[in-house]
Amino acid sequence: MMLEISNLNVYYGESHILRNVDLSVQPGQMVCLIGRNGVGKTTLLKTIIGLLKPRSGQIKFDGQLINLKSPDQRAKMGIGYVPQGREIIPQLTVKENLLLGLEARRKLPKSQDISEEVFALFPVLKAMLTRRGGDLSGGQQQQLAIARALMGQPQLLILDEPTEGIQPSIIIEIEAAVRLIVATTGISVLLVEQHLHFVRQADYYYAMQKGSIVAAGSTSELSQEVIQRFLAV
Ligand SMILES: Nc1ncnc2c1ncn2[C@@H]1O[C@H](COP(=O)(O)OP(=O)(O)OP(=O)(O)O)[C@@H](O)[C@H]1O
Ligand SMILES: [Mg+2]
């Protein structure tokens, strides 16, 4: 198993946010976490990457227990993360933003060139390498944030609502790029997403309510009931 979470409980102070969460991602699998606002989706992702400490439960990555590893150690083990809201650095150029992604690698490459694979996935970035990140549109910034995470050569790519606030034509591009990453690189993906069309690109879904996983299954069997309960469509 690429990622295996069992019986995870996470608190903010005294508020019990995640309750006995079990979730797994297999190698090469694309998994989507769905659920309404405020149910704990981001909290789960932040716990996986090490920004929050669970009170109990296990997080295993590639068979290894990682509960006690720092976020930096987890990144170097191969967990890439694109936060909700993207968090690219507006004053730096597109190229400088991309190069920051190299810090997640265990060994720095000799060359500081951006691989053509990144541009194949996100052609728009190639023409914009010298532009400031902050001058890009929301959709372009999201593509930059995903590309930056790929620069770290992750085995597992975690995306928190990559299409939030983005116009429909760009949503389709981002969706296609993520699907292509899974199909061509063997990278596993765990994403939080609200758009049904994007959710359907995943192989498997988990639905969260009040910090618990309350439904899960193949996305080919997403019922109307699940869609209405857990997605804002
Ligand atoms: N730093 C914090 N301190 C205290 N409570 C928090 C903090 N961050 C989030 N919460 C609470 O934890 C719960 C889960 O929040 P979380 O951000 O994980 O939800 P979410 O499912 O990602 O929501 P959204 O769809 O709006 O992104 C919410 O009730 C939220 O108010
Ligand atoms: Mg969130």
Side-chain angles (χ1 to χ4, degrees):
M1 209 60 90
M2 183 90 289
L3 179 72
E4 195 170 7
I5 294 166
S6 42
N7 220 2
L8 195 72
N9 285 279
V10 177
Y11 290 69
Y12 276 121
E14 283 314 297
S15 344
H16 194 173
I17 307 293
L18 298 185
R19 296 165 185 268
N20 306 318
V21 168
D22 292 331
L23 179 149
S24 296
V25 180
Q26 291 170 27
Q29 196 183 31
M30 176 170 169
V31 171
C32 188
L33 174 64
I34 60 177
R36 303 240 165 202
N37 288 339
V39 296
K41 305 180 298 295
T42 297
T43 302
L44 177 56
L45 301 190
K46 285 185 172 168
T47 309
I48 296 168
I49 65 155
L51 292 177
L52 296 171
K53 288 208 186 328
R55 191 163 295 188
S56 65
Q58 292 198 323
I59 307 172
K60 282 188 182 169
F61 179 68
D62 215 3
Q64 218 183 320
L65 193 64
I66 59 166
N67 287 46
L68 298 177
K69 305 253 184 225
S70 70
D72 182 58
Q73 287 172 317
R74 295 183 204 200
K76 290 200 160 72
M77 290 175 81
I79 302 182
Y81 177 58
V82 180
Q84 189 166 12
R86 310 185 269 277
E87 297 176 17
I88 61 137
I89 304 195
Q91 317 84 286
L92 295 187
T93 65
V94 167
K95 182 164 186 192
E96 287 164 342
N97 269 282
L98 286 170
L99 292 175
L100 284 179
L102 294 176
E103 280 170 35
R105 291 203 201 168
R106 246 179 264 217
K107 256 183 79 187
L108 278 185
K110 289 194 196 81
S111 129
Q112 295 255 297
D113 294 336
I114 315 293
S115 104
E116 282 301 318
E117 285 165 45
V118 167
F119 299 129
L121 285 166
F122 303 109
V124 69
L125 297 180
K126 190 162 190 172
M128 299 200 151
L129 280 177
T130 58
R131 298 269 285 274
R132 281 162 25 112
D135 294 340
L136 272 55
S137 72
Q140 290 163 348
Q141 288 186 17
Q142 184 63 57
Q143 296 178 56
L144 173 56
I146 298 171
R148 181 179 61 187
L150 289 174
M151 294 288 290
Q153 297 183 327
Q155 287 177 263
L156 170 67
L157 181 61
I158 298 180
L159 306 166
D160 197 350
E161 300 209 36
T163 65
E164 194 178 26
I166 286 174
Q167 66 183 77
S169 63
I170 310 293
I171 293 180
I172 300 290
E173 282 180 27
I174 291 173
E175 190 181 301
V178 172
R179 191 63 242 181
L180 197 62
I181 290 166
V182 174
T184 61
T185 64
I187 295 174
S188 311
V189 168
L190 172 62
L191 94 154
V192 169
E193 186 48 54
Q194 280 288 334
H195 291 93
L196 178 59
H197 194 271
F198 202 159
V199 175
R200 287 196 196 280
Q201 307 297 313
D203 304 300
Y204 201 84
Y205 76 90
Y206 289 90
M208 182 174 269
Q209 196 169 48
K210 294 183 188 156
S212 298
I213 301 294
V214 292
S218 165
T219 54
S220 59
E221 289 155 18
L222 264 175
S223 68
Q224 213 50 45
E225 191 229 335
V226 166
I227 291 166
Q228 271 167 9
R229 266 178 78 196
F230 303 107
L231 291 173
V233 280

